[in-house]
Structure formats: structure tokens, C-alpha cells
Amino acid sequence: MAQLSITLCRQLARARREKGMTQSALALAVGCKQSAISMLESGQPEKLSQEAVGKIAALLEVPLESPSSPSSVLCPPSSGSFPSHSFCPSASCASNVPYAVAGELLFWPRPQPASAGGKHCAYCGEVLERQCPHCGATATAGACCPACGGAKVTNTLPAEIDGEAWAAQRRREIAEWKSLVT
Ligand SMILES: [Zn+2]
Ligand SMILES: [Zn+2]
């Protein structure tokens, strides 16, 4: 379980609001309960694992006490402990949650429901990928390939898009969309 100073908890809460992200959107991206985010922000991070807190900090671009950069958490080095993970290769698909990290857009693919048959994206119908498009390594959870560090989902958006604003808007849409279907 995670140990964080109250100052850091407040910082995370402020960074989330500044990014225009709801607690549920953040919870969705990290894969935890919204109540856990709420408790974290009130200074009780105990419900969250250290790994989840690391992801939250990376997504909100708040440095933790440990010197890990946002992209090193979004793209964790290979540990072999992650199960393989199919993902939708379409940057415009709602299954891929975008984050702007250091001016670059990264897409965090959400797990595909196993009931979808495992071949096609349950959200947009695209054929799912299971391998890194750059080096062919088996894809794991997270935005990047554990073997080569390349982004799993290629950013195919027009270059003139303001990545940060687009990603924030997109995350709001995804959160709203999810609240409609669940
Ligand atoms: Zn898709
Ligand atoms: Zn790779």
C-alpha cells in the first residue's frame, strides 16, 4: 500500500483539477475505484498500491519523491510480470485514453472485454493487435512496448492539434461515454 505525504496528496488533487479531469476519469485510466482517488485526495492513499500512485502521479505529471519521470511510469521497463494484453491500434478509438506527456501524446489502451471474442475491438471494431508495431514483442498493459519503449498506439492525429487540450477533452468524452453505457 502507498505512503504519501499529505502535501503530495493535495498536489495530486490540484493537478487533477487543473487538468480538467474528473476523479472517475482518473480512476478509469489507472484501473482503480473512484472512491480510492477520493480517499487519496483527502490524504488517505492506503487503498491504492504504490504502482497505482505512480501511474496517477505520472498521468498528472506530479513528481513523486522518487526520481521517476512521467514517461518511465507510463512506459514501465519490462519486468515480465504483466500479462499479455491486446489493444486497439486506432488512435481515435475510445478504448485508448490519451495523455500528453512532455508535449507528446501517449495512448493508454484499456483492456478489451474477453467476451468480445478477442479479435476485434469491443469499442470500434478494429482488428486488435497483440504485438508491438515496432519490434513485435508481446504487448503488455501500459502505453508503451516493454521491450523497445515505442508507443503501442501510433498517434495518427493531425500535427496541428494541441495534444494536451485534445487529450483533456478526449478524456472527458470517454468518461461521459462510459457513464452512459455502464
Ligand atoms: Zn477500437
Ligand atoms: Zn517494441
Side-chain angles (χ1 to χ4, degrees), residues 10-20 60-62:
R10 295 228 171 92
Q11 242 182 324
L12 290 169
R14 184 161 8 100
R16 178 185 60 73
R17 284 193 295 270
E18 279 169 6
K19 286 188 179 294
L60 299 176
E61 296 171 65
V62 172

Side-chain angles (χ1 to χ4, degrees), residues 132 134-137 145 147-150:
C132 169
H134 311 285
C135 72
C145 167
C148 72

Side-chain angles (χ1 to χ4, degrees), residues 39-129:
M39 288 186 70
L40 166 72
E41 295 188 353
S42 64
Q44 296 169 279
E46 294 82 10
K47 290 261 180 235
L48 289 161
S49 66
Q50 195 64 49
E51 191 196 347
V53 170
K55 275 189 198 171
I56 292 169
L59 297 175
L60 299 176
E61 296 171 65
V62 172
L64 292 179
E65 280 94 346
S66 64
S68 60
S69 72
S71 53
S72 76
V73 180
L74 268 177
C75 305
S78 176
S79 68
S81 63
F82 295 103
S84 76
H85 191 273
S86 54
F87 65 97
C88 175
S90 166
S92 54
C93 175
S95 74
N96 293 320
V97 185
Y99 294 94
V101 176
E104 219 186 312
L105 275 179
L106 283 176
F107 296 84
W108 190 294
R110 297 205 335 243
Q112 295 283 339
S115 59
K119 290 248 188 323
H120 294 91
C121 174
Y123 302 87
C124 74
E126 188 70 55
V127 177
L128 293 175
E129 291 289 342

Side-chain angles (χ1 to χ4, degrees), residues 133-158:
H134 311 285
C135 72
T138 304
T140 59
C144 301
C145 167
C148 72
K152 291 197 316 208
V153 178
T154 310
N155 179 10
T156 48
L157 300 161

Side-chain angles (χ1 to χ4, degrees), residues 153-173:
V153 178
T154 310
N155 179 10
T156 48
L157 300 161
E160 62 269 19
I161 277 184
D162 173 349
E164 198 146 340
W166 181 85
Q169 170 66 25
R170 184 75 183 158
R171 288 194 300 266
R172 276 193 291 273
E173 284 170 11

